[in-house]
Amino acid sequence: GSYTLRPFFLSELAPLKQWSALDGRSPREFLISKFLDREAALVSRMVQVETTAARRALGQLFQEVALDMMDREADTVDLEYIKLLCQLVFEGVLSSEDIRLLQHKIGSTGLLESDAIPNHCRFPHSELQNHFLAHALLSSDSKDPVRRILRRAIFGADFLQVFLEVCEELPANI
């Protein structure tokens, strides 16, 4: 099914009345951004962190998860790896105690769901995975893994469409 039919997304779209209210963003970019804002707000209520810092770290975490999935040509990722990424991206942002608390909950965020494989997670929809992969590929922090991935990857039309939308959202000076 479509992830856009989740009650959260419908509640975000309902007040808009028309697409022009998206301020030039694609509906997909708008919805994923709102969902990431929501997840960051939930994290900031759970641990002592500003919402903007939580959003930045969560974005980085989901980008790394998508890169790992692409690198391994898999649709799932081990929960222990996600916990390690959680520690790495929130280090310096959260206390050790808060990181442990977040690691305990990180596999059950709205942007990751449990898989049939025990202790593995996946994105609820390939469009979410493609979104974070596109951002990861364009990120200056991930140049070495990106070169390796680009040398051997075959991208489908779905990914290329999301990649184009992400590129269109970038500031003109990049």
Side-chain angles (χ1 to χ4, degrees), residues 2-16 30-31:
S2 176
Y3 69 95
T4 57
L5 295 178
R6 288 181 173 199
F8 172 79
F9 289 124
L10 294 174
S11 71
E12 290 294 324
L13 288 174
L16 295 180
F30 173 80
L31 290 173

Side-chain angles (χ1 to χ4, degrees), residues 85-97:
L85 288 176
C86 182
Q87 181 177 350
L88 293 173
V89 300
F90 280 97
E91 201 168 57
V93 177
L94 297 177
S95 69
S96 298
E97 185 177 316

Side-chain angles (χ1 to χ4, degrees), residues 24-43:
R25 293 187 287 178
S26 72
R28 178 184 6 252
E29 188 73 25
F30 173 80
L31 290 173
I32 294 172
S33 179
K34 289 289 191 178
F35 207 44
L36 193 53
D37 289 344
R38 176 181 172 257
E39 292 300 311
L42 291 171
V43 167

Side-chain angles (χ1 to χ4, degrees), residues 24-158:
R25 293 187 287 178
S26 72
R28 178 184 6 252
E29 188 73 25
F30 173 80
L31 290 173
I32 294 172
S33 179
K34 289 289 191 178
F35 207 44
L36 193 53
D37 289 344
R38 176 181 172 257
E39 292 300 311
L42 291 171
V43 167
S44 69
R45 284 195 297 266
M46 183 173 47
V47 295
Q48 295 286 19
V49 65
E50 290 184 21
T51 305
T52 53
R55 188 186 199 287
R56 188 172 34 256
L58 285 172
Q60 185 180 355
L61 182 137
F62 296 129
Q63 288 174 31
E64 291 297 329
V65 167
L67 265 178
D68 177 68
M69 291 171 141
M70 181 67 178
D71 191 34
R72 293 180 304 104
E73 299 178 13
D75 290 329
T76 65
V77 65
D78 189 280
L79 182 57
E80 292 303 313
Y81 181 68
I82 296 171
K83 289 179 179 180
L84 174 66
L85 288 176
C86 182
Q87 181 177 350
L88 293 173
V89 300
F90 280 97
E91 201 168 57
V93 177
L94 297 177
S95 69
S96 298
E97 185 177 316
D98 283 346
I99 289 174
R100 282 192 296 279
L101 179 64
L102 187 56
Q103 284 174 316
H104 182 69
K105 298 283 189 184
I106 198 66
S108 61
T109 69
L111 289 166
L112 291 174
E113 63 185 19
S114 295
D115 188 65
I117 301 170
N119 296 317
H120 279 72
C121 295
R122 66 182 318 117
F123 287 102
H125 197 281
S126 62
E127 286 188 11
L128 296 169
Q129 182 177 348
N130 288 338
H131 169 85
F132 289 109
L133 178 60
H135 278 278
L137 292 174
L138 293 168
S139 168
S140 60
D141 296 338
S142 60
K143 283 190 170 63
D144 289 336
V146 169
R147 287 188 191 116
R148 185 177 68 246
I149 290 169
L150 291 177
R151 278 196 300 260
R152 64 185 180 104
I154 298 172
F155 297 106
D158 290 344

